[in-house]
Amino acid sequence: MTSTAQRAELQAKIWKIANEVRGAVDGWDFKQFVLGALFYRFISENFTNYIEGGDESVDYANFKDGDIPEEVKIDAVKTKGYFIYPTQLFVNVVKTANTNKNLNTDLKALFNDIESSAMGYPSEQDIKGLFADFDTTSTRLGNTVEDKNKRLAAVLKGVAELNFGNFEENQIDLFGDAYEFLINNYAANAGKSGGEFFTPQNVSKLIAQLAMHKQEKVNKIYDPAAGSGSLLLQAKKHFDNHIIEDGFFGQEINHTTYNLARMNMFLHNINYDKFDIALGNTLEDPQFGDTKPFDAIVSNPPYSVNWVGADDPTLINDPRFAPAGVLAPKSKADFAFVLHALNYLSSKGRAAIVCFPGIFYRGGAEQKIRKYLVDNNFIETIISLPSNLFYGTSISVNILVLAKNKTNTNTQFIDATGEEFFRKISNNNVLEDSHIDKIMGIFDSKEDIAHTAVSKDNNEIATNDYNLSVSSYVDAKDNREKIDIAVLNAEIAQTVEKITKLRASIDSIIKEIDA
């Protein structure tokens, strides 16, 4: 099945499920149940494949729970990170979903068992709380047990009908596509909160390509504002020839999104020992400061959010912020995330960070941080993207590319806001593969292109008060109609002559009437 067909089937199925539970579950809350069911089906099938080991004579779904030896269970948890009994498999639960009067509580107990199976093992923190937002006893599903069970059965049946074969062989990002579809259709309910932690897949692809560009292998990849994990996963999806030796790392402050990110890792067949997603405030309580620096960093941090800043005087001594000699403003944490990423970046790596444009031209502390970045030659490129690429905001965001191994003292500016860099679909603009290839080609060549790209020596940027706004360096194309003055004057003269003759003719007619 092609990616287009898979995506169409996925969207049609989600919409069908939505119609069956409409009126009971708020559109945006509905995502938790769809994504949770997708995840439950995946880990069931993935675990079954592991147990069966490719032996067609083994049918794990028909095993009896009591026949599973304890050593098999222990080995499975050590390898996969969790254990699922045959009766707990998605395929078996779905069979009786419509008639099971205890479906909601059975599911709750089942999910607790899966999470508990990891207790005392290295995977415990990676599994703990994974199903917290798939609350099968929630009143959001209905006020009675019967209502809850009816809607849960509809969700499970709908997800069961998705015919994609093995999850690992899908042509699309199931989780990401489902999430993006739900955001798009429930934008009114989701508002900014729905889009702020989700980066559209093709934008994620561009960011991942920038961070991984010409790196044959990286030790590990990191996102300090991980969201649902889409940026990290683009590195896995599009860089099969790269070796990400030590895995995928991230930190996320929102508990629901933190769970989605961990689910997403499993859903993309990244084993628990190859990812580490931490919960917490990245700026105030960073979790990976003691580890080896990262060769690739990708991030779309929240724009201009409040943070503790100068209210915590110890932060000025934090190794992430101390070199700049100033903290990002309390009401605008953007540069705090940038400095955090820079501190975590290895000497050979790159960081690609989505940024709010205002941080590149405002004064005060932000100007001083720009001075630090420019004077130390940490900025490779700043790219201005088209507007309306992200859910929840229409602004034309920038991508800041940081590197510590530059061989020159230039900073590249790319204006990718023109119509040749996106396709308009409904109210949104979309980056397609051809647009990404065009941007990457310009980024790689570092050649100046009229009205599109220019590289400026850092000394010139310093004389311009460290303004890093792309529009300050890339001249906008003049799309006004060019007018030939001589031709215009001739046309005006002819028009005046015609008007003079017309007036004379009118005067003559009036005289005849008066006579």
Side-chain angles (χ1 to χ4, degrees):
M1 186 184 292
T2 65
S3 61
T4 301
Q6 284 187 355
R7 187 170 289 110
E9 180 174 338
L10 173 68
Q11 293 178 356
K13 185 58 61 179
I14 290 175
W15 199 242
K16 178 183 176 184
I17 301 169
N19 285 332
E20 291 191 29
V21 300
R22 188 184 302 279
V25 183
D26 174 82
W28 188 231
D29 289 335
F30 171 67
K31 76 182 187 302
Q32 309 294 2
F33 301 104
V34 173
L35 297 176
L38 271 173
F39 177 67
Y40 172 37
R41 175 181 166 183
F42 167 77
I43 63 169
S44 292
E45 295 182 4
N46 186 272
F47 189 80
T48 298
N49 291 339
Y50 162 74
I51 293 292
E52 294 178 351
D55 187 343
E56 294 183 0
S57 67
V58 179
D59 185 2
Y60 183 64
N62 285 321
F63 279 24
K64 293 181 179 180
D65 291 358
D67 291 341
I68 310 297
E70 185 65 19
E71 58 268 24
V72 171
K73 178 178 178 180
I74 293 173
D75 184 67
V77 176
K78 288 180 178 179
T79 304
K80 298 301 294 180
Y82 58 90
F83 184 83
I84 306 177
Y85 281 105
T87 58
Q88 297 174 329
L89 293 172
F90 179 89
V91 65
N92 286 330
V93 172
V94 168
K95 287 179 182 177
T96 60
N98 285 332
T99 57
N100 184 356
K101 295 182 179 180
N102 300 313
L103 178 63
N104 68 324
T105 53
D106 283 353
L107 282 172
K108 183 178 179 63
L110 183 159
F111 296 152
N112 288 339
D113 284 348
I114 295 174
E115 292 182 13
S116 297
S117 69
M119 288 182 64
Y121 291 90
S123 60
E124 180 175 351
Q125 290 304 312
D126 297 307
I127 304 295
K128 186 178 180 180
L130 269 179
F131 292 97
D133 293 296
F134 190 3
D135 185 0
T136 60
T137 61
S138 170
T139 55
R140 291 180 298 175
L141 285 166
N143 292 321
T144 67
V145 171
E146 184 179 358
D147 287 340
K148 292 180 176 69
N149 289 341
K150 178 181 178 182
R151 287 167 184 127
L152 282 170
V155 173
L156 293 176
K157 290 286 186 181
V159 169
E161 290 172 8
L162 290 171
N163 182 26
F164 292 158
N166 292 330
F167 275 83
E168 298 95 307
E169 297 173 2
N170 291 330
Q171 297 298 313
I172 63 173
D173 175 1
L174 267 178
F175 217 54
D177 275 69
Y179 198 12
E180 195 163 0
F181 177 74
L182 288 163
I183 288 174
N184 190 33
N185 282 275
Y186 294 117
N189 298 68
K192 184 180 177 183
S193 65
E196 67 185 1
F197 48 70
F198 184 80
T199 309
Q201 291 179 52
N202 272 14
V203 179
S204 298
K205 183 177 180 179
L206 171 62
I207 295 167
Q209 287 196 23
L210 289 165
M212 303 280 286
H213 185 60
K214 289 187 174 179
Q215 298 198 69
E216 292 184 2
K217 64 178 181 179
V218 299
N219 61 353
K220 50 190 177 176
I221 187 167
Y222 169 62
D223 186 345
S228 60
S230 61
L231 278 168
L232 291 172
L233 291 165
Q234 285 299 329
K236 178 182 186 295
K237 184 175 182 181
H238 295 286
F239 295 95
D240 291 337
N241 294 328
H242 292 67
I243 299 173
I244 302 176
E245 296 172 329
D246 299 324
F248 304 80
F249 295 75
Q251 186 164 346
E252 172 56 38
I253 193 171
N254 181 287
H255 196 279
T256 294
T257 323
Y258 158 72
N259 284 337
L260 289 177
R262 292 188 298 155
M263 285 184 181
N264 222 349
M265 295 296 125
F266 282 108
L267 198 63
H268 285 79
N269 213 25
I270 299 174
N271 213 37
Y272 75 92
D273 57 346
K274 281 296 183 181
F275 75 84
D276 190 347
I277 307 296
L279 176 65
N281 188 315
T282 297
L283 300 180
E284 297 177 24
D285 186 25
Q287 296 296 303
F288 302 106
D290 296 330
T291 61
K292 188 168 65 174
F294 297 86
D295 289 342
I297 296 177
V298 291
S299 192
N300 177 18
Y303 310 141
S304 300
V305 295
N306 295 328
W307 76 303
V308 63
D311 284 347
D312 181 354
T314 66
L315 284 175
I316 196 60
N317 299 316
D318 189 301
R320 298 172 296 166
F321 312 125
V326 65
L327 297 173
K330 290 192 298 181
S331 61
K332 301 176 182 67
D334 308 69
F335 266 129
F337 282 102
V338 170
L339 292 174
H340 171 92
L342 181 66
N343 178 258
Y344 278 38
L345 186 64
S346 74
S347 60
K348 69 179 280 287
R350 276 197 186 89
I353 308 166
V354 180
C355 296
F356 183 78
I359 71 170
F360 294 114
Y361 57 79
R362 291 191 295 239
E366 291 179 317
Q367 183 187 39
K368 293 178 181 178
I369 295 173
R370 293 197 303 272
K371 180 180 187 302
Y372 164 71
L373 295 173
V374 173
D375 287 351
N376 287 277
N377 200 30
F378 289 136
I379 301 177
E380 181 174 1
T381 301
I382 299 174
I383 305 170
S384 181
L385 293 180
S387 59
N388 290 310
L389 288 178
F390 292 79
Y391 297 105
T393 180
S394 62
I395 62 172
S396 174
V397 301
N398 292 171
I399 297 178
L400 171 66
V401 182
L402 301 173
K404 293 182 177 179
N405 60 346
K406 290 172 61 181
T407 57
N408 58 45
T409 57
N410 295 334
T411 297
Q412 182 189 37
F413 297 89
I414 300 175
D415 184 349
T417 62
E419 293 182 358
E420 68 271 26
F421 290 103
F422 68 91
R423 184 162 73 94
K424 188 172 183 60
I425 300 178
S426 185
N427 294 325
N428 293 320
N429 294 326
V430 177
L431 287 182
E432 297 182 329
D433 286 350
S434 60
H435 306 130
I436 293 173
D437 291 343
K438 184 176 295 185
I439 293 172
M440 288 304 302
I442 297 169
F443 172 75
D444 178 62
S445 72
K446 296 295 189 290
E447 293 180 1
D448 289 357
I449 302 173
H451 313 302
T452 300
V454 65
S455 291
K456 294 292 183 181
D457 187 271
N458 290 341
N459 290 325
E460 183 177 344
I461 296 172
T463 61
N464 193 23
D465 294 327
Y466 295 95
N467 187 328
L468 292 173
S469 176
V470 173
S471 61
S472 296
Y473 301 98
V474 180
D475 295 327
K477 186 180 295 185
D478 188 351
N479 293 318
R480 293 176 299 179
E481 182 182 357
K482 294 182 179 180
I483 298 173
D484 188 320
I485 299 300
V487 173
L488 179 62
N489 284 335
E491 290 177 351
I492 292 173
Q494 290 177 357
T495 301
V496 170
E497 184 180 352
K498 289 179 181 178
I499 292 173
T500 300
K501 289 180 179 179
L502 181 60
R503 284 177 174 170
S505 176
I506 292 172
D507 289 344
S508 175
I509 293 172
I510 291 174
K511 286 181 180 180
E512 290 180 6
I513 292 174
D514 290 343

